[in-house]
Amino acid sequence: MTKHIFVTGGVASSLGKGITASSIGRLLKARGLRVTMQKLDPYINVDPGTMNPFEHGEVFVTADGAETDLDLGHYERFVDIQLRRGSSVTTGAIYKTVIERERHGDYLGKTVQVIPHITDEIKTRIRALATDDTDVVITEIGGTVGDIEILPFLEAIRQLRNEIGRDHACFVHLTLVPHIGPSQEEKTKPTQHSVAELRSRGIQPDIIVCRSDRPMSASVRQKISMFCDVPERGVVTAIDTDNLLAVPLVLHDQELDDYLVELLRLGGPEEPELGEWRDLARRAASPLREVRIGIIGKYVDHADAYLSVVEALRHGGLHHDAKVAIEWISAEEVTPMMADSFFDGIDGVVIPGGFGTRGIDGKISAAMVTRERGIPCLGICLGLQVMVVDIARHLGDMTDAHSTEFDSDTSFPVIDLMDDQRELTDLGGTMRLGTYPARLEAGSLVHELYNSEVVYERHRHRFEVNQRFHGRLRNAGLSLSGFSPDGRLVEFIELSGHPFWVGTQAHPEFQSRPNRPHPLFLGLVGSALEFAKEH
């Protein structure tokens, strides 16, 4: 029978439930277990697709086209699995389903209530992942214990454990143990209160993971164990670290995975195979060199808005034994007159995706400067589109070329809305989403990087390179090096004679892994290292 691990959080938000859940997944997979993961999010949005990146961070896209929370990116990267839309559940999606059923008469006239109708639907979504080819389902509950929004989720997992039996489910609770400077003491009261709140909802944690800026003393662990009714083996410290790859190893060194295997009566080897992961963590901690990559975007004040891009760059750096130092460049501050100065000392540039007109001129200027100065540049989604605009304006004699997303009256709409998007009025979940194939041109740089004729990448966009201008763009020197299989949609572009000036309509960052860097990011970092050596 499939086992379930539920991860909750208390005391404060943003403690790292996603990383903790992902680390547990990594450890169990290293023992040969088949693991999948899920996020239960308490917000009423149906999905994060229309949410502001400043507030929510990036939108992660699954292979089957679901717009999800960024924690699914952590899950996929750490556990090296491919998740689907069932791994993302929100309050909005739950209520939408229940209300639609009520409208259809599925409840036979009964009063529809949080218990049992909402909680039953939550349990159905959790059980859906417990298939015959899955040993463990790890479910993270978003928000913080004490938030009114997460009560139905807590009630659902409480019920589920009783239904499937205590040997088949366990609760992991993440809390904060702050260190008070003047008294030089670690305070356990926040953890005690958090666990008391969880217990008031009928949930007794089996394991408490304590976030702290230093190792906890034995006496503090004993105190938490006593007051929270958890064996000392179940009290674990997660120390602050800049090296996320070290987190699974920190937890393993405290025998967290051993205890989980014992609690859930899981099989597998006594020791996980962590040799490759230890090597990755070592290289991340002690790189041999450094390269500076600029990310030019609209949301640079909130790094989580580009989380998968940053992680993909780091993966590329790991392969080259290099630290990737990120330079955040606000696209709104880059002007055509001053653009050059923003890229002094930069070895490579990423122009990431985004929506809206703000900062678009700065991104076009970035494409021009990197092209003229030979700085390695990777354009992603909107990044490809501004690179096309740069070529059209400055090499193709189309002076006011633009995307109709930003200028509907342009004489040269080199980027235009996809035909099947013109009549849409709903914004949520209606873009070109999920995995699509592309055929690469033989002899092109992208063909060399991928070492494949056909590739599959995830997408999230509405606008495309306008077919009417393919010929003029080629005449201007742009290589259209990858197309959809029917030859209609441009998927990749590049510039001959430039060390690395590549754009993709897709979001390759979503498929990068620490042990398998994505070819485009691997190529960008390698080219940036060469650029740094020469300059």
Side-chain angles (χ1 to χ4, degrees):
M1 183 176 180
T2 302
K3 310 291 185 174
H4 291 266
I5 298 172
F6 298 104
V7 180
T8 57
V11 182
S13 59
S14 302
L15 286 183
K17 291 194 304 299
I19 295 296
T20 301
S22 301
S23 298
I24 291 171
R26 176 73 261 167
L27 292 173
L28 295 181
K29 185 174 181 181
R31 288 176 175 267
L33 295 165
R34 298 167 299 175
V35 178
T36 193
M37 302 192 65
Q38 183 179 51
K39 176 74 179 286
L40 306 182
D41 257 317
Y43 51 75
I44 300 176
N45 304 66
V46 172
D47 61 42
T50 59
M51 294 171 73
N52 189 332
F54 280 116
E55 181 177 337
H56 187 266
E58 78 169 6
V59 174
F60 186 83
V61 178
T62 60
D64 60 346
E67 295 174 289
T68 75
D69 183 82
L70 57 81
D71 274 321
L72 269 75
H74 289 312
Y75 305 162
E76 287 206 1
R77 286 187 288 269
F78 269 60
V79 191
D80 197 6
I81 51 178
Q82 193 169 90
L83 301 175
R84 305 189 74 79
R85 62 179 64 249
S87 290
S88 180
V89 180
T90 67
T91 295
I94 294 292
Y95 272 83
K96 183 172 182 284
T97 298
V98 170
I99 290 169
E100 286 173 349
R101 287 180 179 166
E102 184 274 331
R103 294 289 83 188
H104 292 152
D106 294 355
Y107 299 119
L108 303 176
K110 292 181 180 178
T111 301
V112 179
Q113 298 176 291
V114 174
I115 302 172
H117 301 97
I118 297 299
T119 51
D120 281 354
E121 180 60 25
I122 294 169
K123 288 185 291 182
T124 297
R125 302 291 182 104
I126 297 170
R127 287 178 182 274
L129 269 65
T131 58
D132 291 339
D133 58 356
T134 301
D135 296 315
V136 184
V137 177
I138 301 173
T139 301
E140 175 193 349
I141 291 83
T144 305
V145 170
D147 294 346
I148 193 170
E149 295 95 338
I150 73 168
L151 295 182
F153 293 110
L154 295 179
E155 174 61 18
I157 64 174
R158 183 197 67 78
Q159 292 178 17
L160 186 62
R161 188 184 196 185
N162 283 336
E163 292 169 9
I164 64 178
R166 293 186 173 270
D167 289 341
H168 300 297
C170 75
F171 298 116
V172 177
H173 190 54
L174 183 69
T175 72
L176 177 68
V177 177
H179 182 266
I180 306 301
S183 63
Q184 290 296 301
E185 287 182 305
E186 297 153 310
K187 292 298 183 181
T188 66
K189 269 296 187 266
T191 295
Q192 293 178 45
H193 287 306
S194 179
V195 171
E197 176 69 27
L198 191 61
R199 292 170 76 176
S200 76
R201 303 298 171 190
I203 296 174
Q204 167 63 44
D206 300 289
I207 293 170
I208 299 175
V209 178
C210 303
R211 279 297 307 276
S212 176
D213 63 354
R214 64 201 67 205
M216 288 194 307
S217 64
S219 62
V220 169
R221 292 182 63 177
Q222 290 167 2
K223 189 174 182 180
I224 292 172
S225 169
M226 179 177 64
F227 278 99
C228 298
D229 196 22
V230 173
E232 278 190 54
R233 286 185 66 195
V235 180
V236 176
T237 309
I239 307 169
D240 295 349
T241 177
D242 292 330
N243 182 5
L244 293 182
L245 298 181
V247 177
L249 304 176
V250 169
L251 299 181
H252 171 67
D253 290 343
Q254 296 174 79
E255 301 181 352
L256 172 62
D257 49 319
D258 290 337
Y259 192 45
L260 280 167
V261 166
E262 182 181 309
L263 284 172
L264 294 173
R265 302 185 182 182
L266 290 162
E270 290 187 7
E271 281 295 318
E273 177 50 61
L274 292 170
E276 181 185 44
W277 197 266
R278 288 189 187 280
D279 182 57
L280 290 170
R282 178 194 58 76
R283 280 190 276 155
S286 305
L288 300 179
R289 44 194 172 166
E290 181 172 306
V291 63
R292 295 178 69 198
I293 304 289
I295 298 179
I296 176 162
K298 289 166 47 174
Y299 317 114
V300 294
D301 291 333
H302 186 33
D304 276 357
Y306 302 110
L307 181 61
S308 290
V309 171
V310 171
E311 290 302 311
L313 286 168
R314 287 173 177 160
H315 300 163
L318 280 174
H319 181 82
H320 290 287
D321 264 326
K323 175 185 177 182
V324 175
I326 304 295
E327 299 287 334
W328 295 103
I329 303 171
S330 173
E332 295 176 78
E333 296 177 7
V334 177
T335 62
M337 293 292 292
M338 300 291 292
D340 251 351
S341 61
F342 283 90
F343 300 95
D344 290 338
I346 298 290
D347 306 314
V349 171
V350 175
I351 309 176
F355 298 90
T357 59
R358 197 160 44 85
I360 196 67
D361 290 336
K363 291 193 173 194
I364 296 170
S365 296
M368 179 185 70
V369 170
T370 57
R371 174 177 55 79
E372 292 179 342
R373 291 176 54 176
I375 301 172
C377 179
L378 174 62
I380 298 171
C381 196
L382 179 60
L384 171 143
Q385 296 171 13
V386 298
M387 294 166 96
V388 169
V389 171
D390 164 53
I391 292 291
R393 286 183 182 181
H394 302 118
L395 298 182
D397 198 27
M398 294 176 268
T399 52
D400 75 331
H402 219 318
S403 166
T404 55
E405 181 180 3
F406 312 117
D407 181 4
S408 58
D409 296 324
T410 175
S411 304
F412 303 101
V414 291
I415 306 295
D416 200 6
L417 198 64
M418 297 162 57
D419 289 339
D420 58 1
Q421 295 281 323
R422 295 188 185 278
E423 305 303 322
L424 292 176
T425 55
D426 289 345
L427 296 181
T430 56
M431 290 181 281
R432 188 183 185 210
L433 289 164
T435 301
Y436 289 87
R439 189 170 296 278
L440 306 182
E441 182 182 338
S444 64
L445 177 57
V446 290
H447 184 274
E448 177 186 335
L449 291 169
Y450 279 96
N451 192 28
S452 179
E453 185 178 316
V454 178
V455 297
Y456 295 83
E457 293 287 2
R458 301 181 197 181
H459 291 64
R460 183 177 184 251
H461 65 99
R462 298 181 193 279
F463 289 78
E464 300 275 1
V465 179
N466 193 331
Q467 282 183 277
R468 290 168 44 205
F469 295 94
H470 288 183
R472 294 190 66 169
L473 290 168
R474 284 193 178 99
N475 291 338
L478 187 65
S479 173
L480 309 181
S481 52
F483 279 87
S484 57
D486 62 7
R488 292 176 56 246
L489 306 178
V490 174
E491 294 281 9
F492 293 88
I493 63 167
E494 56 190 69
L495 198 61
S496 299
H498 193 288
F500 193 101
W501 203 77
V502 175
T504 174
Q505 186 65 78
H507 284 271
E509 67 272 22
F510 294 146
Q511 297 203 80
S512 188
R513 304 286 183 265
N515 56 324
R516 290 185 291 105
H518 191 281
L520 294 183
F521 288 91
L522 193 61
L524 174 68
V525 173
S527 185
L529 286 165
E530 288 298 318
F531 183 87
K533 188 187 301 182
E534 294 171 6
H535 294 81

